[in-house]
Amino acid sequence: YKSIQLKFFMFKEDLIKALSEKTRLKKEEVEILIEIPPRSELGDYSFPCFVLSKKEKKDPKKIAENLKEELLKKKLKNFEKITSLGPYVNFFIDKKTLTENIIKVNSNYGKSSIGKKKVICVDFSQPNLGKPMHVGHIRSTIIGDSMMRIYDFLDYNPIGINYLGDIGLHIGKLIVAYELWLDKENLKKDPVGELLRLYVKFCGKEKSKVTEGMEEEFQDNEWTNKAKEKLRLLELGDKNATKIWKEIQDHSLKGFKKVYDLLKVDFNDWKGQSHFSEKGKEIVINALKNGIAKREEDGAVYIEFENPNTKEKIKKYILRSNQTASYITQDLGAVVERKKKYKFDKMIYVVDSRQEDHFKALFSILRILGYDFTDKMHHLKFGTVRFGKEIQATREGNVIMLEDVLAKTIEKAALEINKRKTKGDPRKVGVGAIKYLILKNEPIKDVEFSWDAALSFEGNTGPYLQYSYARASSIIKKADKENFNKKIKKIDNLDEYEINLVKKISEFPDIVILAEKNMNPSLIANYSYELAKTFNEFYHNCPVIGSPKESLRLRIIDSFRTTMKNALHLLGIEVMEEM
Ligand code: ARG
């Protein structure tokens, strides 16, 4: 990959090139082998020689020795020292050159053009209309938004899609409940709350009749059947059902938009599931015609395929017996339409890992149907958010609403800011705390939501990072402009804290690329925390204003600010100059 602007970014590339020449390993192989030593006394990069020793059947120590000698002859630019230790060759970056480059970084720092404007569709957030957004929903929204930002930063062309759950059994249930039990007054006062009340009441009635362990779609009891019937009427365009459906959509979309406004999350495409029922059915009918899909006696349509891992036969229904589209029918329609419309290079679904089987089936079915883009589709899975030991389940009504969580953290932020009498923005702080709380965890891991963690602003938290930025800003503000702008002629005698901070800053571009490749924003979150800690150590040990090294230190601090701002930007966390 080529960085837009940075020479020092080439340090590692030069190293890879030289190593590849000398070892006759491919560049890609070398890149994977290069390690970052655990302690900086051992160097900035190291190359283990085990692979070569296997190949050449020689002692890895000897190989390391020879390789070091060879590389020394080459006079690698930008490296001040090369040593060998046991089976490793260790490389020491020239810190002066590194620092010279680091103090030049600008607001583009970390950006790169590897994306080549390729289109990446990100299907994320996807709340179900009629149901509230609770803390269980927050991960898709925040992880998806961060991925969007990362793609944008790397010059991809990301398309954010909010695939609203605007149809499905829950809508059937809500319409039934709406007709039976709606409290109009309450709907006016608290629309989201009233819809939740209706939904929970319906689920309570239904619960006594459901067969445990059976998929909702196939439940055969009076309440579930009522909901299915409503859904059928809706698909047929029934006036009354459509009217109620529209009302439910309006009320609940308003609630969602409030949350998105607070989070500053937006989408390019808001097309919900219902838009793709027809397209999905068309695909199913074609599959029937081709003999790929089969029809059950009751009218339901299915495709049979083998689980590629277990070889076990799977029968997946792609149309309900009453000929309405189900979740997977719509997903089939949606991806085919998206491919046509956006010509995506990647289609990413940011969805709970409990839907893994659904996406596996979706990809397999598309493959069987002959669509050639299935290898461009990815399920970015994330684990559950628990509260205590409980999973948030709307049907039980025991949910913690996202709106309340945001309101509380923002309130707490306002209190803190008041105490300090500064100009911080409570929304930025509160939202930053929640976003960071979510993003610091690897997506795949389950997380536990606790009020304590959400309302804590110290240690490994969003506000701590924002604060380190504000602190850096205030140092620069206090400093003399002239000292700040002074041309830095010679850099020598860098101390440990300066070097550590410069090195940390220099890791940023690699981290961004890694986060993109692994679809894992937590890499950037954890990097940001390390960056803040390194800065704080620097700050506590290196006097700035009035020191003989004032100019250099100011410039390092400024580069820290730029890096922290960009890193937090990728997490969707806003910075403040004062806090
Ligand atoms: N709204 C769905 C749910 O809550 C998630 C949709 C995920 N996206 C998709 N294309 N299936 O279960």
Side-chain angles (χ1 to χ4, degrees):
Y1 47 86
K2 288 272 170 289
S3 158
I4 291 174
Q5 44 150 358
L6 287 167
K7 269 198 256 115
F8 76 82
F9 210 46
M10 310 298 284
F11 287 17
K12 195 171 168 191
E13 248 171 56
D14 292 344
L15 179 63
I16 292 171
K17 196 164 152 243
L19 275 168
S20 160
E21 270 168 32
K22 292 288 167 211
T23 62
R24 305 232 179 89
L25 292 171
K26 286 203 198 89
K27 278 193 194 171
E28 299 79 61
E29 290 175 272
V30 171
E31 181 166 9
I32 295 171
L33 287 172
I34 289 181
E35 295 173 7
I36 308 243
R39 279 170 293 125
S40 55
E41 307 93 85
L42 298 173
D44 301 301
Y45 296 117
S46 71
F47 183 78
C49 296
F50 305 109
V51 174
L52 295 174
S53 100
K54 244 194 204 152
K55 249 193 195 162
E56 297 172 23
K57 302 209 168 47
K58 275 195 212 147
D59 179 9
K61 272 189 204 161
K62 284 254 156 54
I63 294 183
E65 266 289 331
N66 286 340
L67 192 54
K68 179 197 80 177
E69 293 302 328
E70 291 284 309
L71 287 164
L72 280 175
K73 274 186 226 152
K74 256 198 104 156
K75 295 219 174 3
L76 259 179
K77 231 184 20 200
N78 300 330
F79 287 88
E80 59 190 8
K81 198 163 89 180
I82 302 176
T83 62
S84 68
L85 188 72
Y88 290 92
V89 185
N90 294 330
F91 303 88
F92 296 76
I93 289 177
D94 173 1
K95 306 299 179 310
K96 283 179 213 161
T97 318
L98 184 67
T99 307
E100 264 165 32
N101 281 291
I102 282 296
I103 61 177
K104 276 188 221 145
V105 303
N106 62 26
S107 60
N108 286 325
Y109 184 46
K111 284 191 184 171
S112 120
S113 52
I114 53 165
K116 301 200 183 81
K117 298 275 185 267
K118 279 189 255 175
V119 175
I120 316 270
C121 288
V122 186
D123 177 323
F124 73 109
S125 196
Q126 328 108 334
N128 293 323
L129 287 163
K131 298 197 210 172
M133 264 211 251
H134 57 65
V135 289
H137 292 126
I138 196 168
R139 284 187 102 179
S140 176
T141 308
I142 291 177
I143 293 172
D145 180 55
S146 177
M147 286 312 300
M148 289 286 296
R149 291 162 179 276
I150 295 169
Y151 286 125
D152 186 56
F153 205 65
L154 296 177
D155 211 30
Y156 288 92
N157 178 12
I159 309 280
I161 303 177
N162 196 352
Y163 187 61
L164 293 168
D166 60 355
I167 198 76
L169 221 43
H170 73 284
I171 295 286
K173 292 180 192 182
L174 267 166
I175 298 179
V176 175
Y178 200 95
E179 284 178 331
L180 288 173
W181 311 305
L182 179 71
D183 176 342
K184 279 201 177 130
E185 282 307 303
N186 197 33
L187 185 72
K188 265 194 212 132
K189 265 191 287 182
D190 175 18
V192 176
E194 175 61 13
L195 291 174
L196 176 62
R197 187 188 70 85
L198 290 174
Y199 187 71
V200 171
K201 183 156 178 178
F202 183 98
C203 292
K205 296 263 185 213
E206 186 187 33
K207 197 175 169 187
S208 53
K209 310 274 164 86
V210 298
T211 313
E212 279 300 326
M214 188 193 269
E215 241 185 286
E216 200 174 38
E217 306 263 342
F218 305 106
Q219 293 287 343
D220 184 20
N221 73 62
E222 54 169 308
W223 286 96
T224 318
N225 288 341
K226 276 185 197 176
K228 283 193 219 167
E229 177 56 15
K230 271 288 174 249
L231 208 53
R232 194 182 67 85
L233 287 175
L234 195 58
E235 276 201 18
L236 289 175
D238 176 86
K239 266 217 186 96
N240 195 42
T242 308
K243 186 172 153 269
I244 297 176
W245 183 45
K246 289 257 152 67
E247 281 178 35
I248 293 172
Q249 291 197 35
D250 285 350
H251 286 304
S252 109
L253 212 51
K254 262 186 221 144
F256 296 159
K257 290 219 162 131
K258 246 204 223 158
V259 173
Y260 293 139
D261 277 351
L262 280 175
L263 295 175
K264 289 247 162 59
V265 169
D266 205 357
F267 304 86
N268 306 93
D269 180 332
W270 290 82
K271 275 214 184 86
Q273 289 173 220
S274 71
H275 292 84
F276 304 103
S277 298
E278 283 316 308
K279 182 71 195 177
K281 281 196 249 179
E282 197 187 302
I283 295 171
V284 173
I285 302 300
N286 273 331
L288 266 174
K289 274 192 203 144
N290 300 337
I292 296 172
K294 298 203 173 62
R295 201 186 274 282
E296 211 80 88
E297 248 171 55
D298 68 357
V301 179
Y302 64 91
I303 285 191
E304 236 171 346
F305 57 92
E306 223 173 51
N307 177 327
N309 301 322
T310 63
K311 301 280 168 236
E312 156 204 17
K313 272 234 170 5
I314 299 175
K315 191 170 180 181
K316 185 74 196 175
Y317 286 91
I318 53 178
L319 196 69
R320 291 200 189 99
S321 58
N322 68 3
Q323 306 306 293
T324 56
S326 65
Y327 186 45
I328 196 159
T329 324
Q330 287 144 359
D331 256 329
L332 285 168
V335 71
V336 171
E337 298 258 290
R338 287 172 189 170
K339 183 67 195 172
K340 204 167 103 196
K341 182 163 179 195
Y342 298 117
K343 306 191 175 51
F344 58 73
D345 201 65
K346 243 189 212 170
M347 169 73 247
I348 295 167
Y349 298 89
V350 189
V351 185
D352 195 313
S353 55
R354 285 171 293 177
Q355 290 195 28
E356 184 165 6
D357 287 346
H358 166 76
F359 285 102
K360 280 200 176 140
L362 178 66
F363 301 169
S364 297
I365 290 171
L366 285 162
R367 218 167 287 135
I368 295 169
L369 295 178
Y371 291 98
D372 59 1
F373 51 76
T374 50
D375 56 333
K376 298 185 190 302
M377 298 166 74
H378 303 270
H379 178 195
L380 197 179
K381 299 182 273 250
F382 57 82
T384 320
V385 180
R386 292 211 171 75
F387 183 65
K389 290 287 155 266
E390 281 176 61
I391 296 175
Q392 302 268 293
T394 310
R395 67 188 60 212
E396 313 286 344
N398 62 345
V399 289
I400 301 183
M401 309 267 222
L402 198 46
E403 249 191 280
D404 295 340
V405 174
L406 291 170
K408 278 210 176 130
T409 49
I410 292 171
E411 192 184 315
K412 157 98 194 266
L415 277 174
E416 296 276 321
I417 290 165
N418 251 332
K419 250 196 261 166
R420 300 185 195 194
K421 301 201 180 18
T422 64
K423 283 194 217 132
D425 175 339
R427 186 191 62 77
K428 289 183 186 170
V429 178
V431 168
I434 297 302
K435 286 191 177 176
Y436 188 78
L437 187 67
I438 294 298
L439 291 175
K440 74 176 175 183
N441 298 290
E442 218 182 305
I444 197 67
K445 291 201 176 124
D446 286 355
V447 297
E448 201 172 310
F449 176 85
S450 80
W451 281 109
D452 275 352
L455 295 171
S456 149
F457 293 174
E458 268 139 58
N460 191 3
T461 67
Y464 171 78
L465 304 185
Q466 289 169 316
Y467 185 65
S468 73
Y469 175 88
R471 171 179 272 173
S473 292
S474 89
I475 299 170
I476 290 187
K477 209 172 139 196
K478 269 190 219 134
D480 188 339
K481 278 255 152 27
E482 239 170 78
N483 283 343
F484 181 78
N485 290 323
K486 213 188 248 166
K487 202 167 158 63
I488 291 161
K489 279 178 233 115
K490 224 173 111 216
I491 296 175
D492 43 29
N493 300 324
L494 287 166
D495 70 31
E496 175 193 354
Y497 300 104
E498 292 161 341
I499 290 175
N500 286 345
L501 184 53
V502 164
K503 268 186 71 179
K504 247 309 155 235
I505 294 173
S506 77
E507 287 169 21
F508 180 57
D510 269 350
I511 297 283
V512 180
I513 306 249
L514 209 59
E516 186 261 310
K517 279 197 186 139
N518 294 307
M519 296 192 263
N520 181 1
S522 78
L523 295 171
I524 298 176
N526 293 313
Y527 166 78
S528 309
Y529 180 51
E530 282 171 28
L531 181 65
K533 276 196 301 191
T534 314
F535 168 71
N536 283 337
E537 271 159 35
F538 166 91
Y539 174 79
H540 288 300
N541 291 288
C542 304
V544 182
I545 301 198
S547 118
K549 283 176 141 185
E550 175 167 340
S551 296
L552 175 67
R553 287 184 174 163
L554 284 172
R555 302 282 279 280
I556 295 176
I557 292 176
D558 197 39
S559 296
F560 159 76
R561 274 176 82 233
T562 304
T563 311
M564 184 54 95
K565 185 175 183 176
N566 286 0
L568 291 180
H569 164 79
L570 295 177
L571 305 176
I573 298 175
E574 293 165 271
V575 293
M576 286 145 283
E577 298 308 313
E578 215 183 291
M579 217 179 133

